Amino acid sequence: MSKICLFATLWLMASSVFAQDDLFPFVVPWDIAPTGVADMSVLLHRPAGKFGHVHVGADGHFYVGAQRIRFWGVDMTADACFQHKANAPKIALRLAKAGVNVVRFHHMDAPWANPSLINYAAGGSRQLNTQALDNLDYFFAQLKKVGVYANLNLVVHRLFSSRDGLPAEIDSVTDMKDQHVIGFFYQSMLELQKEYARLLLTHRNPYTGLTYAEDPAVAFVEINNENGLMHGFLGGVTDRIPAVFQADLQRQWNEWLIAKYGNTQTLRQAWGERSEPLGSEMLTNGDYTSGLNGWILEQHAGAQASATQSTSAPPGYTRSVRIEVTKPGTQSWHVQWNQPGLTVEGGRLYTLSFWARANTSRSITVAVTMAHDPWSGLGPWISVPLTTAWQRFEYTFVVTQSDTNARVLFTGMGLQTGTYWITGVSLRPGGILRVLPEGQTLEAKTVGNVLRSNWGATPEPVQKDWLRFLRDTEERYWTSLYRYLKQDLGVRALVTGTIVGCTTPNLMTQMDLVDTHAYWQHPEFPGGGWDNRNWFIRNISMVDERGGTLTWLAPKRVLNKPHTLSEYNHPAPNTFTSEGLLIAAAYGLLQDWDAIYFYTYAHRRDNLDARKITGFFDIDQHPTQWMSLVAAGAMFLRGDVSPAQKLVAVSLSREQEIEALRGSWAWKLVDGSDVGLRGEIALKHRVAVATEGQSLPSDALRPDQVNTSGNTLTSDTGEIKWDWSVGGKGVITVSSPRSKAVIGFGGGRQFDLGDGVLVEPGNTRQSGFSVITLTVKQGALSSQVTQTTQLLITATGYVQNTNWGWEELGDNRVTVRDNWGTPPTLVEGIPARITLPMPASAVQAYALDERGARKAKLPVSSDSGGRAVIQIGAQYRTLWYEVVATARRAVTPR
């Protein structure tokens, strides 16, 4: 065995021992900024706004003066927006030195914020809290001084009330996001939003001497966080709002229809009202008098159910089928009842009727679908509200395409235990397709609102017109507020509406930029609400997912518009969380995005020295996320990863959006993926959507021209590689000249990151998972050291609080309930062997303390070629290191 191989074997054995050592405390000081090699404030210009207002260049990116600027940011949430004056300068400097150059002020208007920017104690929501405003002014001024811009959010969690001059019924809408949906069409609420914007943005900050409307340090203003009228409809909000608001929406709906169709008769014709004689019965044994012949019970993914003949029946029937679900699955379709073998003809009317009840009030879904792969629907998917009493249901619909093996399907029973009875099932060709109930006319303006709860039974032409109406109404909201901010208030900042995902690309392309949000394994609350006792996250790493969040973020990018990601996180207590920001930064650069913000710095302004992870999202005391913030921030701000060389683009018209919305849901409305833009393509090339009126670039590739198969996907620049070739042990490598990284399950493998850099992660607590970065702060990686070269190395992995209430619930689900433990945070020391191109004689290495200051010198050895070799590990009780290579001066003989 060669000496090199023997050394490598001993190294891996040693790293295995290190991985079993106890965790050690590592607390990031709240009031001490990163220092030395970890100080990235040199990447910021001071003050923010030094070169004038941020604007959009001809290439669709952000600029200040003549230079392009990217934004690397954090959110400040609720209380955190109003830092105490004694703390504000420290936090501002800490952020600047970590490389943060923008703060998004979020949830300033929330009634649960302490304080809130709105003085709710005065009654209503129309007065600002002068003390909170003063704290905001001072904090903003401190951030501006050190080079940190601001993103001001207007409507986030404001609580409207009748004391604002709104109808009394608004007080019964306890969900504030539901209230904000009303604001998209209810004029009085729109005027209240304008008033709030005027009070805040025309207020003169005594610490800067400027209003927020004119201050160049205000880079962005966001109109309405995570909301939209179409979003609200798809989430069922317009079904449940009080009648006074539904009536106003109905008035506008009828006026829209009158403008389009003129009269009821034309409307009926356009919506396809038709009548055909009923044909022969197509089903067998629909009354279950012959037992269960002809019917099939399906159980999937561990769900358990039984089907038996029952004597419970409505008038006119003697038998029914009794379906009892005794063990739920994980999807609603995991218990199904169907009769296959039917022949249906596309474009024809069919009438489906049946009687049904359940042991408690609940809904099931009924449809005519394919009885074969891909099991698609051949008509509407109809939600049927059952009670404990027998009810008859009848639906007439158009079958979308012919099929010789169709089925009548009862589904939606797989998520909970319960009992269902069904009988009198009939399917016949023909029937009367009514598009307007009796008594509804345009002339009387009585055409009813379309209900989300009845969406499946709503004819396609009606669905499309309703969505067009909602889109046009929502568009009027966005454009009117945009004009008010820009023209009436003179806001110089760039303005965005909300995220694509809660609205559509074609609406947001009318704003100054397009924004998105994403979370990997967001907390889930089985009982609903934000119950701090009943929740879980899935403790899995994104590197094992083919693209993870990127596959649904990237297709939202609009061609030639700045693209931002203003909320991103891999929430605690996920123990793989240090991968998140580095993946976002690397692929954000590959996609040539313009801003990324981590949600959130903190929710609080008190107890800043928590010395532990305080919740799902706060990063201010999260050690591995803080390391990631610094290293990934340097990568992103400097543009260390080159944009992809090739562009893959698709067109998305307004009518294509309407078609996609028919089958969408509230949190994923429509984007490029609905017209063939596969998210995986973003791991190789840039991707974008051309909205209506935009032409595709002549050199853009089509999605079908890109191969994304195989176990590895490498960017077309060669700088990023995502490798799934070892099952369950995905790894991402970044190999750019100034930023290098190994992210994922790399333990026991060697990675050549280019420029003479080799990284060999050791074994760790999580199957070899670690995140190792090398950031060139000064100089360059080269075998010829002609100038001082300074590197920051971070090495992160497992993290937890002391004695937190960790519970494993199965299927990768974990929780700590309301027991987040005690200080201090405990981390794992990551073992690795790192080979650098510089001669060992020129290199010095240091372990850094929590502030980033040197605390211990590391030995530097050499490989067979004389290159420097550094071994890091748990014995140094740190997550980051400094390497300095200094040119040796020739000594002149005396």
Side-chain angles (χ1 to χ4, degrees), residues 849-891:
D849 65 14
E850 291 90 341
R851 298 173 301 138
R854 297 173 180 175
K855 71 172 186 176
K857 194 169 185 179
L858 275 66
V860 179
S861 59
S862 61
D863 68 0
S864 59
R867 295 183 302 175
V869 176
I870 300 165
Q871 296 175 203
I872 63 174
Q875 69 270 36
Y876 297 110
R877 300 172 73 83
T878 189
L879 300 179
W880 50 6
Y881 304 83
E882 178 184 3
V883 174
V884 179
T886 307
R888 298 295 184 183
R889 293 181 179 178
V891 178

Side-chain angles (χ1 to χ4, degrees), residues 119-154:
N119 184 8
Y120 290 102
S125 66
R126 298 182 65 178
Q127 294 185 40
L128 298 187
N129 179 332
T130 55
Q131 185 58 59
L133 182 59
D134 186 61
N135 282 90
L136 174 67
D137 288 342
Y138 187 77
F139 188 26
F140 171 89
Q142 297 303 311
L143 289 166
K144 177 179 179 177
K145 184 185 302 182
V146 296
V148 181
Y149 288 80
N151 177 335
L152 299 179
N153 292 187
L154 298 179

Side-chain angles (χ1 to χ4, degrees), residues 1-201:
M1 182 179 291
S2 70
K3 290 183 179 179
I4 294 175
C5 290
L6 176 61
F7 180 85
T9 300
L10 293 173
W11 159 241
L12 289 176
M13 291 173 63
S15 71
S16 179
V17 173
F18 294 155
Q20 304 307 312
D21 285 353
D22 289 339
L23 302 174
F24 58 86
F26 195 88
V27 174
V28 182
W30 78 269
D31 59 346
I32 301 176
T35 187
V37 70
D39 179 357
M40 298 299 171
S41 60
V42 66
L43 302 175
L44 281 59
H45 58 252
R46 301 185 182 193
K50 175 181 181 179
F51 300 106
H53 291 273
V54 179
H55 63 277
V56 179
D59 59 357
H61 295 297
F62 296 139
Y63 283 81
V64 285
Q67 61 180 305
R68 182 174 174 185
I69 184 171
R70 294 181 184 85
F71 288 99
W72 184 250
V74 294
D75 286 64
M76 288 284 170
T77 302
D79 309 19
C81 298
F82 313 105
Q83 294 294 336
H84 295 293
K85 289 184 177 180
N87 297 333
K90 298 177 182 179
I91 295 171
L93 185 61
R94 184 184 189 220
L95 288 170
K97 290 197 170 188
V100 169
N101 69 342
V102 67
V103 162
R104 179 173 179 248
F105 288 92
H106 191 56
H107 279 295
M108 292 191 294
D109 57 353
W112 46 264
N114 184 25
S116 172
L117 188 55
I118 293 176
N119 184 8
Y120 290 102
S125 66
R126 298 182 65 178
Q127 294 185 40
L128 298 187
N129 179 332
T130 55
Q131 185 58 59
L133 182 59
D134 186 61
N135 282 90
L136 174 67
D137 288 342
Y138 187 77
F139 188 26
F140 171 89
Q142 297 303 311
L143 289 166
K144 177 179 179 177
K145 184 185 302 182
V146 296
V148 181
Y149 288 80
N151 177 335
L152 299 179
N153 292 187
L154 298 179
V155 179
V156 181
H157 223 189
R158 179 179 178 181
L159 177 63
F160 292 91
S161 76
S162 56
R163 287 174 289 184
D164 296 326
L166 297 170
E169 289 86 347
I170 194 67
D171 297 332
S172 68
V173 185
T174 55
D175 188 315
M176 283 161 274
K177 301 301 283 186
D178 283 12
Q179 286 191 343
H180 301 168
V181 172
I182 296 170
F184 281 89
F185 65 86
Y186 198 70
Q187 188 64 32
S188 297
M189 195 175 288
L190 175 62
E191 295 304 320
L192 289 170
Q193 293 178 41
K194 289 181 177 180
E195 178 185 66
Y196 175 83
R198 177 178 55 79
L199 290 173
L200 174 61
L201 299 175

Side-chain angles (χ1 to χ4, degrees), residues 577-834:
T577 189
S578 53
E579 68 187 359
L581 265 194
L582 286 155
I583 298 175
Y587 282 100
L589 287 169
L590 183 72
Q591 291 303 311
D592 211 8
W593 293 348
D594 297 279
I596 298 176
Y597 305 68
F598 211 19
Y599 185 86
T600 181
Y601 180 82
H603 285 76
R604 63 197 193 287
R605 65 173 188 166
D606 297 309
N607 189 28
L608 296 180
D609 192 24
R611 302 175 59 82
K612 68 172 186 175
I613 300 165
T614 57
F616 302 123
F617 307 112
D618 291 17
I619 71 164
D620 65 312
Q621 295 280 279
H622 194 303
T624 66
Q625 287 185 335
W626 190 256
M627 302 294 105
S628 298
L629 185 76
V630 175
M635 179 196 301
F636 191 78
L637 289 178
R638 299 187 307 192
D640 287 356
V641 173
S642 302
Q645 296 170 357
K646 296 180 180 179
L647 171 69
V648 183
V650 295
S651 293
L652 179 64
S653 70
R654 290 166 70 94
E655 277 304 296
Q656 284 175 310
E657 287 184 340
I658 294 298
E659 182 60 44
L661 286 167
R662 292 179 55 232
S664 188
W665 69 294
W667 288 94
K668 197 276 182 188
L669 265 66
V670 57
D671 56 40
S673 65
D674 293 288
V675 284
L677 189 58
R678 306 187 315 278
E680 274 190 10
I681 296 173
L683 307 185
K684 295 182 69 172
H685 310 303
R686 283 178 295 127
V687 298
V689 172
T691 52
E692 190 155 306
Q694 288 186 309
S695 299
L696 291 175
S698 58
D699 59 347
L701 298 175
R702 301 188 312 272
D704 60 7
Q705 294 176 297
V706 181
N707 180 11
T708 55
S709 62
N711 290 325
T712 61
L713 284 176
T714 303
S715 66
D716 62 19
T717 62
E719 291 183 333
I720 315 178
K721 180 180 179 181
W722 201 324
D723 185 349
W724 305 276
S725 59
V726 179
K729 293 195 173 185
V731 177
I732 297 171
T733 53
V734 179
S735 305
S736 75
R738 291 194 294 178
S739 284
K740 299 182 185 294
V742 177
I743 305 167
F745 298 89
R749 288 188 270 175
Q750 183 185 85
F751 299 90
D752 185 341
L753 302 183
D755 301 305
V757 175
L758 301 177
V759 174
E760 302 168 68
N763 294 322
T764 63
R765 287 174 170 264
Q766 302 185 106
S767 303
F769 176 88
S770 62
V771 178
I772 299 172
T773 71
L774 287 79
T775 303
V776 178
K777 175 79 176 293
Q778 176 184 349
L781 290 164
S782 172
S783 60
Q784 302 298 318
V785 184
T786 59
Q787 58 181 320
T788 299
T789 296
Q790 187 182 36
L791 303 178
L792 172 67
I793 296 175
T794 68
T796 57
Y798 182 86
V799 60
Q800 69 167 74
N801 287 336
T802 301
N803 297 323
W804 64 4
W806 185 267
E807 295 181 45
E808 297 189 7
L809 307 176
D811 192 28
N812 294 310
R813 295 173 303 146
V814 301
T815 185
V816 298
R817 302 198 186 278
D818 58 353
N819 179 12
W820 285 88
T822 60
T825 46
L826 303 175
V827 300
E828 172 185 25
I830 301 301
R833 171 186 166 95
I834 300 171

Side-chain angles (χ1 to χ4, degrees), residues 444-498:
K445 296 186 179 180
T446 53
V447 176
N449 294 336
V450 176
L451 298 177
R452 177 61 171 166
S453 58
N454 195 44
W455 189 246
T458 302
E460 177 181 335
V462 184
Q463 289 184 347
K464 288 184 174 180
D465 264 350
W466 176 252
L467 290 169
R468 293 179 187 116
F469 160 68
L470 296 180
R471 176 199 62 199
D472 292 354
T473 305
E474 182 178 329
E475 183 173 30
R476 185 168 63 247
Y477 169 89
W478 295 124
T479 55
S480 65
L481 274 170
Y482 180 89
R483 286 194 301 268
Y484 179 74
L485 294 173
K486 290 287 194 175
Q487 298 174 12
D488 293 48
L489 301 186
V491 170
R492 300 288 302 278
L494 300 176
V495 175
T496 189
T498 193

